[in-house]
Amino acid sequence: MMSPYQLPEGTEVRLVGLKNPDLVGKYGRIANYVRDGERVMVKLEEGRMVKLKPKQIEAVDDGGGGGGRGPSKREQRNSFQHNRSMQSMNNSSNHSMGRGRSSSARGSMDNDSHGELMDTLKSADAMFDVADTDGDGILTAEEFEYYMKRHTNHDTQMIREAFMMIDADGNGDVTRDEVREAFLKKRRDLKGDSYVHTDEQKDKENSLLEAARDADALFSKADVDGSGQISKREFEIFMKKNTNHTDDAIHKLFDSMDVDRDGHITREEVRKAYLKEKGGGKVSFQDLLGLEDDDMAEIEDDVYNMFFLSDSFSAAFWYALMVWGLKLGLIIIIAFDLYKNVNVEGVPLFPDNADVPTNVRAAQFLLLPVNVAVQEELITTFFIYANLKWGKQILELNPGATKGKYHFANAMRFIDGLAFLFINTTLLLQATEVLGAFLNFAALQFLSDIDNVALSLARDGYLSDSLEEVAGDVSLMKLPRNHNDTLQVLDSVAMAIILLAMVIMYVLNVFVF
């Protein structure tokens, strides 16, 4: 069987090796690859997109004794819908083609219904999702040209003119919103003189665009795996960290939005929910979900919070401890090398003042606040204890995130930061050249980032599914703010004390020792 890495876009595939039994065995077609082939976007027969690892798909054999599968009725309908949206896009570069009288020939003087407008936006989103090959939410001129050349017969000049028409702000990129506006405009143009763009019609379009933008905002935060749909777990975690809703309220809200009951929320379903509630007096998606984001704050994206959220003695638990131990081990080796010859054979810890030029002393003094500012682990620990607090509601999503592990994770981070501060300060005061002082900072920076690299490896799925899940939870989780005016100055006070200690150490080194 052909390797998934060699499968071209459009290949029919079967989903295999997934933990979700509802997806195993389903069929779809490869839409595109993202992250240089590390993930593949597959459009399933029911129309939704899923992002998978290449090993989680296998090609469906087309040849032989009838082992292949022809396109299903749903696939045929999706293809027809896509072709209709492409026909609209094909005409976007030619004004004369959009002024036909076909609609007036039908004798229709009615303007668009909500359903028709939603179909237009759905087509716009479908086009955007396929054209946005790198998944960054922006269409470049290159992506747009590549897409149009594959799906239309337009020449390069016509495609570039169409791109400039869609790029309303002229910044050289096309957003999802600009594509939607272009599709709506083209729909009006194709209706010809029968179309009356009344204030009521404008309100319909604006309401739909507003709903679409709110759906985008929700997806940008809740759709962590970038699949183009929000699973029940993703929605639950998002709501838990942004609201005080009960589990029952969250589940009912999800069920009300999951119209087709497939266990996922699509952008179209979000728009429908928004418009339904708007008719009942709701004015924003913030109101619809009851978000209280101001009372919550995101936790730091590091391996220590991976330890905090993990189940005790799980793979993620030991992984985080291993990374912390690795960093401390390297710090101890560096410290041993720095101090092994101190007072042995008369070797001082720091050079004599006579051996250090004045410009180096000045550079050392100016680098003291920089030395404190680059200690990310220390600063993060101070911020957490000054502004956030552990809350019981986090246990509902991550039962292993106990209060004891919360404090232990912060202690790990604090020890990490303090050890690096100690090593950096020692190297800074040992410098006898200006360039040497800067090089010492740069040399240790890679070591400071080990925990961030470890988290990225886990989150991107290079290690195991269990580590990937916990690492993904880190970016989703939030903690409640403490709203304690006294505690909120703690981080500033702690930073000032650390800086003062650095200055005292500098003064003692220069004028006493």
Side-chain angles (χ1 to χ4, degrees), residues 131-194:
D132 184 21
T133 54
D134 61 4
D136 63 352
I138 296 292
L139 284 189
T140 63
E142 293 76 15
E143 287 176 321
F144 184 81
E145 184 173 336
Y146 176 74
Y147 175 85
M148 293 294 285
K149 284 185 174 180
R150 293 187 63 194
H151 295 88
T152 75
N153 294 322
H154 290 348
D155 59 33
T156 300
Q157 182 61 32
M158 190 178 292
I159 292 173
R160 290 176 180 173
E161 289 175 358
F163 181 84
M164 288 188 289
M165 290 174 59
I166 298 173
D167 182 19
D169 58 9
N171 68 347
D173 293 321
V174 168
T175 64
R176 185 184 294 272
D177 219 33
E178 287 174 326
V179 172
R180 290 166 177 157
E181 292 274 11
F183 267 70
L184 288 173
K185 181 179 183 301
K186 183 48 57 182
R187 184 176 184 84
R188 294 194 297 268
D189 291 345
L190 290 174
K191 281 182 174 289
D193 294 340
S194 70

Side-chain angles (χ1 to χ4, degrees), residues 412-423:
M412 293 164 62
R413 186 187 295 107
F414 178 77
I415 293 171
D416 179 350
L418 196 63
F420 266 99
L421 177 66
F422 186 71
I423 295 297

Side-chain angles (χ1 to χ4, degrees), residues 60-301:
V60 176
D61 295 330
D62 293 325
R69 298 171 64 253
S72 66
K73 291 181 179 179
R74 184 182 293 271
E75 284 178 307
Q76 295 172 16
R77 287 195 300 269
N78 289 341
S79 176
F80 176 69
Q81 180 183 21
H82 178 71
N83 290 337
R84 286 195 305 170
S85 69
M86 278 311 308
Q87 182 179 0
S88 176
M89 285 302 300
N90 293 346
N91 295 333
S92 65
S93 59
N94 190 331
H95 292 285
S96 62
M97 293 178 66
R99 298 296 180 182
R101 301 300 183 99
S102 59
S103 57
S104 60
R106 289 190 298 268
S108 172
M109 295 295 292
D110 294 333
N111 289 333
D112 292 330
S113 67
H114 264 130
E116 291 174 322
L117 291 172
M118 289 187 73
D119 285 342
T120 302
L121 292 183
K122 185 177 180 180
S123 297
D125 284 343
M127 175 265 174
F128 189 93
D129 288 334
V130 175
D132 184 21
T133 54
D134 61 4
D136 63 352
I138 296 292
L139 284 189
T140 63
E142 293 76 15
E143 287 176 321
F144 184 81
E145 184 173 336
Y146 176 74
Y147 175 85
M148 293 294 285
K149 284 185 174 180
R150 293 187 63 194
H151 295 88
T152 75
N153 294 322
H154 290 348
D155 59 33
T156 300
Q157 182 61 32
M158 190 178 292
I159 292 173
R160 290 176 180 173
E161 289 175 358
F163 181 84
M164 288 188 289
M165 290 174 59
I166 298 173
D167 182 19
D169 58 9
N171 68 347
D173 293 321
V174 168
T175 64
R176 185 184 294 272
D177 219 33
E178 287 174 326
V179 172
R180 290 166 177 157
E181 292 274 11
F183 267 70
L184 288 173
K185 181 179 183 301
K186 183 48 57 182
R187 184 176 184 84
R188 294 194 297 268
D189 291 345
L190 290 174
K191 281 182 174 289
D193 294 340
S194 70
Y195 187 84
V196 181
H197 201 209
T198 63
D199 289 340
E200 180 182 358
Q201 194 65 21
K202 291 178 183 177
D203 288 340
K204 285 183 182 180
E205 292 182 3
N206 290 334
S207 293
L208 275 169
L209 286 172
E210 184 180 357
R213 294 181 189 115
D214 280 322
D216 293 341
L218 174 63
F219 269 74
S220 67
K221 295 179 180 179
D223 183 21
V224 178
D225 63 5
S227 63
Q229 55 194 359
I230 300 173
S231 68
K232 196 164 189 175
R233 174 173 173 75
E234 286 176 326
F235 185 78
E236 185 177 356
I237 292 176
F238 173 78
M239 294 297 291
K240 280 290 185 180
K241 74 176 185 178
N242 288 288
T243 74
N244 292 321
H245 292 346
T246 63
D247 287 344
D248 186 57
I250 292 174
H251 293 160
K252 286 181 178 178
L253 184 56
F254 181 89
D255 291 340
S256 70
M257 298 173 70
D258 182 20
V259 179
D260 59 6
R261 298 293 185 267
D262 67 345
H264 293 82
I265 297 174
T266 63
R267 278 188 167 86
E268 184 181 10
E269 288 174 326
V270 171
R271 288 197 290 264
K272 288 180 179 178
Y274 174 82
L275 291 171
K276 180 180 178 181
E277 292 298 326
K278 189 177 180 66
K282 295 286 187 180
V283 295
S284 73
F285 208 75
Q286 191 90 357
D287 295 326
L288 171 61
L289 297 182
L291 301 183
E292 300 171 359
D293 205 30
D294 289 342
D295 291 330
M296 307 290 286
E298 294 180 357
I299 62 177
E300 183 65 19
D301 221 19

